[in-house]
Amino acid sequence: MADSLEERLRARISDIQGEFRLEAIGVAVHDYERGRHFAHNADRWFHAASTFKAAILLAVFNAAEKRLLRLDDQLHVRNRFHSIVDGSIYRIDGDRDGDPATHRRIGRSMKIADLAHAMITRSSNLATNLLIDYVGVGAIREMLSKAGVQGMRIVRGVEDHVAFQKGISNETTANALVQLFRLLCEGEFLTEFSRQQVRDIFLAQEFKSMLPARLPPHVRVAHKTGEISTHWHDAGIVNFPDRKPYVVALLTQGAPSVDQPQRAVAALSEAVFEAVTT
Amino acid sequence: MKIVDGMTLSAEHRALLRPCELLTDPCGGIHRLPRWFYEVESWQAAKAMRVTANFMLAELSTVDCREADLLVRQLPHYVPCTLTVLGRYLQEFRLRAEAPVYVSVNGGYRSPAHKLTPQYATPHHWGTAADIYRVGDTWLESQKTIERYARIAESIGPEVHVKPFGHGPGETDDHLHFDLGFVTLVPHGCSEL
């Protein structure tokens, strides 16, 4: 990315922050075509919302490669979890979860591969907590450490309200998410076979109102969204038919009253696309 | 179904099923694990094997990946002969509840090697317990629903034990635990010596 383009992108990010009255924006981009990296508040910590599920997916595949689990193993679907604060029981609210299909399996079992797919493509909170319980937070952290991903803190499952009230949440930086998705494009952390499977799951993402929303139809985006009342994020790999991909993380924070915040992330994505491809 | 003496199984199977070994329950009671098993040739056979009018063998013995690998992945499977007795009690419960009864995965027979309860004796290791998560359209995840069906289960007879509602050890909050205690069954033609 030429310096002038980088300046224009920074100006556009500033405009979007003002237009949507956002408190903070974090952006990180790595472009494989030109070998350039762009960062804007990329080391600032944000509540990770559901973007941390990308790390859970990599941890599941890492465990599968180590033969600690099999992707076709069946796991009991049980909606009962323990808070990390006091061990109290909590459940995932089925009405708020984005994935009713996993809730319909309560009492029965699902393949780990299917839970992983639901966790990413429909951001299933129930599937996420089941996988975290089975793989273990410690193993997920170890995976991040061994993969060299810095700037992501995973401490708990989703909807642990006791922990949330105490300010204990999963957090990430934009740089960490870019590092995470770069593991799917380069290096030897996972075999190419596993990387392709993981990329395919991210490509099947069903929530498309942010990162891909304003990109041209010829690009294919492998990504993971994350939204809570004050944070709206999207991160992933933008693939082209005739150009090397770029990896991008877009993190935003604002008041709950922000109007249609997903549009801000979509505008950021469009600005990055123009800067990277111009 | 073919009946198998657990003491004649391979060393690998005996290490996991632990036939005739003593296990201690959470109250300090000591119990001898079952010795006699049905041999189930395939998962399809378990799904097709009707224990009673409304319960198939598979429903009373489905486990997830927390069960020992050998017991899940290698055929044949072995389940205690008491599972048929459990099925008859569940059939009676279904009749009294006037609705279909659903037993959860890991909620019927699971081996002593299962990771959910490896340290102590539970009737699940004897094939005499069922975790019921749903009756008809009612999900058993509240005190009201669990206690309603607990009363129905207890009405069957004094040999039926249910765990009380609660969040602590020995209590349940997302299913009804139904069991017959540490019953073992010695089929005709089988010698205990």
Side-chain angles (χ1 to χ4, degrees):
Chain A
M1 202 179 307
D3 290 345
S4 60
L5 286 171
E6 191 171 317
E7 283 169 22
R8 273 169 42 198
L9 178 56
R10 287 189 197 285
R12 182 70 187 120
I13 290 170
S14 179
D15 288 348
I16 291 167
Q17 184 165 358
E19 182 185 343
F20 288 89
R21 298 180 181 175
L22 295 168
E23 289 169 22
I25 293 176
V27 177
V29 185
H30 182 81
D31 180 17
Y32 282 101
E33 179 76 11
R34 292 174 182 163
R36 299 286 300 264
H37 194 84
F38 172 83
H40 172 87
N41 279 338
D43 288 320
R44 183 189 187 279
W45 290 95
F46 288 80
H47 188 299
S50 290
T51 58
F52 84 102
K53 295 170 184 174
I56 312 303
L57 183 66
L58 266 70
V60 166
F61 274 79
N62 185 46
E65 285 196 346
K66 289 179 174 173
R67 299 178 182 232
L68 298 174
L69 58 82
R70 294 181 180 89
L71 295 170
D72 66 349
D73 275 345
Q74 295 281 341
L75 198 58
H76 179 199
V77 179
R78 186 177 186 187
N79 190 0
R80 185 179 188 274
F81 306 98
H82 294 274
S83 169
I84 60 160
V85 173
D86 56 7
S88 58
I89 306 295
Y90 71 94
R91 292 182 184 154
I92 301 295
D93 183 346
D95 293 333
R96 287 177 48 198
D97 203 349
D99 178 40
T102 302
H103 284 263
R104 284 196 291 271
R105 296 291 304 178
I106 287 173
R108 293 180 280 169
S109 63
M110 285 176 68
K111 284 183 184 175
I112 286 176
D114 294 336
L115 287 167
H117 197 272
M119 171 177 70
I120 298 300
T121 60
R122 295 185 296 282
S123 207
S124 170
N125 289 340
L126 180 54
T128 301
N129 279 14
L130 289 166
L131 291 172
I132 291 175
D133 262 11
Y134 190 62
V135 175
V137 168
I140 295 161
R141 284 187 193 149
E142 188 182 326
M143 179 280 295
L144 288 172
S145 173
K146 283 191 175 167
V149 176
Q150 295 177 326
M152 185 175 281
R153 293 190 198 117
I154 295 181
V155 292
R156 64 169 172 87
V158 192
E159 292 194 31
D160 181 347
H161 296 298
V162 177
F164 180 77
Q165 295 299 329
K166 289 195 173 293
I168 303 169
S169 292
N170 300 318
E171 295 179 300
T172 190
T173 65
N175 267 337
L177 282 164
V178 164
Q179 289 169 45
L180 197 71
F181 277 96
R182 285 183 68 178
L183 296 173
L184 303 179
C185 304
E186 60 183 286
E188 296 177 346
F189 178 68
L190 293 174
T191 63
E192 178 51 28
F193 179 73
S194 291
R195 289 204 302 235
Q196 185 59 53
Q197 286 183 290
V198 174
R199 286 195 298 260
D200 285 345
I201 294 173
F202 284 121
L203 281 167
Q205 176 60 249
E206 294 181 13
F207 300 155
K208 298 179 178 176
S209 64
M210 292 194 280
L211 206 164
R214 289 167 67 165
L215 301 187
H218 68 277
V219 303
R220 295 170 70 229
V221 186
H223 64 119
K224 181 69 197 86
T225 58
E227 292 184 60
I228 59 169
S229 59
T230 53
H231 291 73
W232 308 276
H233 310 321
D234 210 341
I237 308 165
V238 179
N239 299 284
F240 299 79
D242 52 359
R243 180 192 190 283
K244 288 181 181 173
Y246 67 85
V247 179
V248 59
L250 308 164
L251 308 184
T252 67
Q253 180 178 351
S257 57
V258 171
D259 185 36
Q260 294 186 281
Q262 296 83 0
R263 287 176 50 232
V265 181
L268 286 168
S269 175
E270 183 182 47
V272 167
F273 179 86
E274 286 173 2
V276 167
T277 58
T278 299
Chain B
M1 277 183 297
K2 182 181 170 188
I3 294 168
V4 175
D5 180 351
M7 301 303 284
T8 66
L9 292 173
S10 69
E12 292 81 6
H13 275 95
R14 287 202 311 276
L16 298 170
L17 298 172
R18 299 167 63 183
C20 296
E21 284 189 33
L22 298 175
L23 265 187
T24 306
D25 69 31
C27 300
I30 297 171
H31 311 280
R32 194 175 295 281
L33 281 160
R35 173 173 176 174
W36 306 100
F37 295 85
Y38 288 124
E39 185 175 283
V40 185
E41 288 299 330
S42 66
W43 182 237
Q44 286 69 27
K47 283 197 211 176
M49 173 64 196
R50 194 173 289 282
V51 176
T52 66
N54 296 102
F55 290 94
M56 313 304 278
L57 188 68
E59 191 177 358
L60 306 182
S61 57
T62 301
V63 287
D64 74 356
C65 54
R66 293 177 180 92
E67 182 57 278
D69 228 30
L70 177 76
L71 301 180
V72 174
R73 293 186 173 267
Q74 188 168 305
L75 294 169
H77 299 304
Y78 299 99
V79 299
C81 294
T82 42
L83 266 188
T84 52
V85 179
L86 175 67
R88 292 191 184 283
Y89 273 85
L90 289 173
Q91 187 69 37
E92 177 64 20
F93 177 66
R94 185 186 194 278
L95 192 69
R96 293 180 185 224
E98 298 180 323
V101 169
Y102 299 91
V103 177
S104 74
V105 166
N106 297 332
Y109 172 64
R110 53 183 190 249
S111 84
H114 197 291
K115 288 177 187 154
L116 273 186
T117 47
Q119 304 94 348
Y120 58 84
T122 159
H124 289 286
H125 299 153
W126 274 252
T128 54
D131 293 339
I132 298 163
Y133 69 97
R134 190 178 149 197
V135 178
D137 292 331
T138 304
W139 295 80
L140 306 191
E141 54 188 11
S142 69
Q143 182 168 0
K144 185 179 170 188
T145 55
I146 288 172
E147 289 183 348
R148 185 204 310 166
Y149 287 103
R151 299 294 82 79
I152 293 172
E154 287 174 330
S155 74
I156 295 172
E159 69 276 33
V160 175
H161 170 78
V162 295
K163 288 185 179 175
F165 174 85
H167 307 301
E171 301 170 327
T172 65
D173 55 35
D174 68 343
H175 64 272
L176 173 67
H177 171 94
F178 175 117
D179 80 63
L180 308 173
F182 302 92
V183 178
T184 54
L185 191 149
V186 183
H188 276 285
C190 297
S191 169
E192 295 193 72
L193 288 177

